[in-house]
Amino acid sequence: MAENTQLDATGRDPLVFYLFDVDGTLTEVRKTISREMMEFMQEIRKKVYCGIVSGSDLENVNQQLRGQAVEKFDYVFTENGLTYHRNGKLTLKTNICNYLGEEKLQEVLDFCLKYLSELKLPIKRGQFIELRSGLINVCPMGRNCTNDEREIFINYDKEHHVREIFINYDKEHHVRENFIAELSQKFNDAGLVYSRGGQISFDIYPRGWNKRYCLDHIDADGFEDIHFFGDRCEPGGTDYDIYKDPRVTGHKITGPDDLKKKIQEIILKES
């Protein structure tokens, strides 16, 4: 708690705000939050105001947070804050389609589809492009499969290490890096930026529409001590820009267990 700060009517410090990435921070990568972690977060929420920020839409975030994102956090910034819930109520919703316009949007999508059609990889599946409100997610490997196919793939992957092969292939052959370079050159006047997201995809979004965008929504709320916790804090990672923003104290996290340890250290230091 900030020194000499009086608690508000909820019993929390009105000047302190904890903001969390979801995938890889509150949860293991692509996993559902554990019940223990959710209970831990609710205990923290009794002390400070808490929010989450994710590049994914609310449906995907809820899949990882047991359908309770809006109920369990004071601020919910999905799609980097282009969709914004506060105290359980939808406050804002905008999208990349309006920003680019239909003609430019189709140019970007067509370029990506053509590039993907000519790209040779160790493995491909479906759903290579996902259009979200605030960004275009491009996954050269593809992320779509049925539950049965997913089980087959998981078992096959355990034996043949398909995902590891792709990740190593990407590192060696710069698949996403080269893709991004060509997009940057083709659409250098569109005001777009590109960021590697997760292990197998990258995001395309308007300049300024990264996770820092959500901070604009809370600037007027009087928080003086904002802590951000995320796992992709390296240059080019989806958490990098907000992690380095001067308005926040950034904490690089390796997973839920590391997050709990870090929060406990902060609370102990400030108590």
Side-chain angles (χ1 to χ4, degrees), residues 119-136:
L119 187 63
K120 302 300 181 184
L121 297 174
I123 186 171
K124 282 186 178 180
R125 293 294 184 261
Q127 193 177 344
F128 302 101
I129 295 177
E130 184 174 79
L131 181 61
R132 303 173 185 169
S133 292
L135 57 84
I136 302 166

Side-chain angles (χ1 to χ4, degrees), residues 245-261:
D245 192 284
R247 291 172 288 182
V248 310
T249 299
H251 305 277
K252 180 173 171 55
I253 301 301
T254 59
D257 290 341
D258 186 41
L259 174 62
K260 289 172 67 175
K261 179 181 177 181

Side-chain angles (χ1 to χ4, degrees), residues 116-262:
L116 288 166
S117 72
E118 299 171 353
L119 187 63
K120 302 300 181 184
L121 297 174
I123 186 171
K124 282 186 178 180
R125 293 294 184 261
Q127 193 177 344
F128 302 101
I129 295 177
E130 184 174 79
L131 181 61
R132 303 173 185 169
S133 292
L135 57 84
I136 302 166
N137 178 262
V138 181
C139 181
M141 183 181 179
R143 58 172 75 251
N144 189 35
C145 57
T146 66
N147 289 332
D148 288 341
E149 289 172 335
R150 187 179 297 274
E151 286 299 318
I152 292 171
F153 178 74
I154 289 172
N155 292 329
Y156 184 86
D157 184 45
K158 289 178 180 177
E159 180 179 354
H160 297 279
H161 311 289
V162 174
R163 285 176 291 181
E164 182 178 344
I165 289 171
F166 175 79
I167 292 166
N168 291 333
Y169 185 91
D170 183 41
K171 290 178 180 177
E172 180 180 353
H173 297 277
H174 310 289
V175 175
R176 290 180 293 175
E177 184 178 334
N178 292 336
F179 199 158
I180 288 171
E182 292 208 26
L183 275 163
S184 299
Q185 183 176 0
K186 174 71 174 178
F187 300 102
N188 63 350
D189 61 343
L192 298 172
V193 292
Y194 311 88
S195 177
R196 293 188 300 275
Q199 293 181 312
I200 59 174
S201 68
F202 66 89
D203 297 330
I204 305 170
Y205 51 85
R207 185 168 286 107
W209 283 23
N210 50 45
K211 286 182 179 176
R212 291 178 62 201
Y213 185 80
C214 76
L215 297 177
D216 295 339
H217 300 316
I218 60 175
D219 276 345
D221 289 350
F223 295 116
E224 297 180 2
D225 189 14
I226 301 173
H227 293 262
F228 170 74
F229 305 85
D231 66 318
R232 304 289 297 179
C233 299
E234 72 282 356
T238 51
D239 296 329
Y240 178 75
D241 291 295
I242 189 169
Y243 172 76
K244 298 294 290 185
D245 192 284
R247 291 172 288 182
V248 310
T249 299
H251 305 277
K252 180 173 171 55
I253 301 301
T254 59
D257 290 341
D258 186 41
L259 174 62
K260 289 172 67 175
K261 179 181 177 181
K262 179 63 68 175

Side-chain angles (χ1 to χ4, degrees), residues 93-121:
K93 189 174 181 65
T94 187
N95 63 70
I96 192 173
C97 300
N98 293 336
Y99 174 85
L100 286 176
E102 187 62 32
E103 183 176 353
K104 180 63 69 175
L105 176 64
Q106 287 196 31
E107 286 182 27
V108 174
L109 294 178
D110 288 347
F111 181 89
C112 290
L113 289 169
K114 184 175 187 298
Y115 190 99
L116 288 166
S117 72
E118 299 171 353
L119 187 63
K120 302 300 181 184
L121 297 174

